[in-house]
Amino acid sequence: MARTVFFISDRTGITSETLGHSLLTQFENIEFNLVRLPYLDTPEKARKLVRLIEDAHAHEGQRPIVFSTLLDDEIRVIVSRSQALMLDFFDTFIGPLEQELGVESTHKVGRSHGVGDFAIYNARIEAVNYALAHDDGVSTQHYGAADIILLGVSRSGKTPTCLYLALQFGVRAANYPLTEEDLDRDALPSVLIPYKKKLFGLLIDARRLQQIREQRRPNSRYASPQQCRDEVRRIQQMFRSERMPFIDTTNRSIEEIATTVMAETGIQRQHF
C-alpha cells in the first residue's frame, strides 16, 4: 500500500514540495501517494487537514508524512497534534539561523515566492517574455540582449529549458533550431556568428529523438530513425568543429539541463 505524503504551506507550497520530493526520490522502492495542500492559511483549513491525516492513518495503518513550510504558529500547533511524521523545514532551519545571526526572523508568509520586490518580479517576467519572443529562431534581432542562446535540432529540449532559465533564474535565454538546411551547409547560420560566445548546444540521443518526434508527427520523414540519426550525427560534428560547449539532454530533466547550462557557462542567476 502506498504511503501518503502531504506537502503543506500557507502559500504556494512550491518550497515544501520541491524539497520534500527531493528527499522522497532517495526511496525508490516505496510508493507514495502525494497530496498537495497550498494556502493552508486558516485554523479551519488546518483542522480539515488533520482529519485527512487521521483518515489516511486509519486506512493505511501507518503515519502519513507531512512536509511543511507553515509559519503561522496557531496553524502549526493544530497540525502538529495529528498522527503524522512532521517534517517542518522552517522549524528545522530558522531556529539555528536565528541563533547564529543573533536576530529573530520576520516569520512573514510568502517571502520566497510572493511578488515582494516588484522590480525583481517584473525583471523575471521580462525574461520570460524575452524567451517567448525569441523561441525557435522566430526573432533574432535582439540576440545582443541574450544571456545565452541554445542551439539544437527540433525537439531537443530548447524551449522548455529557456523558459525554465527565465522563470527560475531571471536569465534571458533565446533558442535557435538548426534545421536540415543549416546542417547541409556544415556551418553556423550567419545570424549566429556575431553571438558565438553566447551559444550553447543541446544534444539528444537519436532513438529518444525519434520517439519524441513520432508522437508529434507519426510516420513522417521528420520522425524517421534515419533522419534522426543523421541530424544528431551532423549537429554533434558542428558543435565540435565550432568548439561550442554542449551537453547531452537525453536522460536529464529540464531542471538538470538548465542548472548544468548555467554551471558550464558561468552565468549567474539574476533573481531569487
Side-chain angles (χ1 to χ4, degrees):
M1 180 177 292
R3 188 80 174 260
T4 297
V5 177
F6 293 90
F7 301 105
I8 65 173
S9 174
D10 30 29
R11 291 295 291 176
T12 65
I14 293 172
T15 301
S16 64
E17 185 171 355
T18 300
L19 295 175
H21 187 266
S22 295
L23 295 174
L24 294 179
T25 58
Q26 302 303 309
F27 302 91
E28 298 178 357
N29 297 322
I30 299 178
E31 182 181 355
F32 296 105
N33 175 33
L34 308 181
V35 182
R36 302 164 181 84
L37 293 174
Y39 301 107
L40 194 76
D41 50 9
T42 67
E44 181 181 358
K45 291 180 181 178
R47 285 188 283 271
K48 182 177 180 180
L49 168 63
V50 170
R51 291 194 292 272
L52 292 175
I53 292 173
E54 301 302 332
D55 288 344
H57 183 216
H59 178 66
E60 298 172 5
Q62 51 190 348
R63 291 192 299 171
I65 300 168
V66 177
F67 291 104
S68 169
T69 52
L70 293 173
L71 280 174
D72 185 281
D73 287 335
E74 181 181 4
I75 295 174
R76 292 173 65 192
V77 168
I78 294 172
V79 177
S80 67
R81 293 170 179 164
S82 64
Q83 293 295 316
L85 170 63
M86 290 291 300
L87 299 174
D88 190 320
F89 290 116
F90 284 161
D91 189 48
T92 299
F93 299 112
I94 289 293
L97 278 172
E98 288 178 334
Q99 184 175 359
E100 181 67 25
L101 298 175
V103 295
E104 292 188 359
S105 63
T106 62
H107 282 256
K108 289 184 179 179
V109 172
R111 300 287 291 188
S112 59
H113 295 289
V115 173
D117 187 321
F118 281 96
I120 292 177
Y121 179 78
N122 289 335
R124 190 167 58 180
I125 295 303
E126 283 301 314
V128 173
N129 289 336
Y130 183 89
L132 292 172
H134 297 82
D135 180 44
D136 231 15
V138 171
S139 174
T140 61
Q141 60 180 333
H142 299 298
Y143 272 6
D147 295 308
I148 193 167
I149 303 169
L150 300 183
L151 303 185
V153 297
S154 174
R155 315 313 293 177
S156 58
K158 302 182 302 300
T159 296
T161 301
C162 283
L163 289 173
Y164 189 88
L165 284 168
L167 188 59
Q168 295 296 320
F169 303 127
V171 170
R172 288 181 172 238
N175 74 81
Y176 189 97
L178 291 173
T179 65
E180 189 172 6
E181 290 74 18
D182 293 325
L183 296 175
D184 285 340
R185 287 192 292 269
D186 195 28
L188 284 174
S190 59
V191 70
L192 297 177
I193 293 176
Y195 312 105
K196 189 171 180 180
K197 291 183 178 180
K198 298 184 178 186
L199 304 182
F200 195 97
L202 301 185
L203 193 67
I204 186 171
D205 178 77
R207 287 174 293 183
R208 179 58 182 149
L209 180 63
Q210 192 272 329
Q211 292 172 351
I212 296 171
R213 288 184 173 183
E214 185 66 26
Q215 293 177 345
R216 187 173 178 84
R217 298 183 194 171
N219 304 315
S220 64
R221 178 175 177 272
Y222 168 79
S224 69
Q226 179 59 44
Q227 179 69 18
C228 293
R229 284 195 298 268
D230 187 53
E231 288 187 31
V232 169
R233 176 183 58 80
R234 290 197 289 168
I235 200 170
Q236 186 171 20
Q237 289 176 344
M238 179 181 289
F239 289 160
R240 286 175 172 164
S241 65
E242 295 288 343
R243 297 184 178 181
M244 186 190 310
F246 67 91
I247 59 170
D248 189 330
T249 67
T250 306
N251 296 312
R252 299 176 192 253
S253 66
I254 296 302
E255 295 88 344
E256 290 176 303
I257 297 170
T259 304
T260 302
V261 167
M262 292 185 67
E264 292 284 338
T265 60
I267 294 175
Q268 298 298 309
R269 69 182 300 159
Q270 301 302 309
H271 310 293
F272 284 92

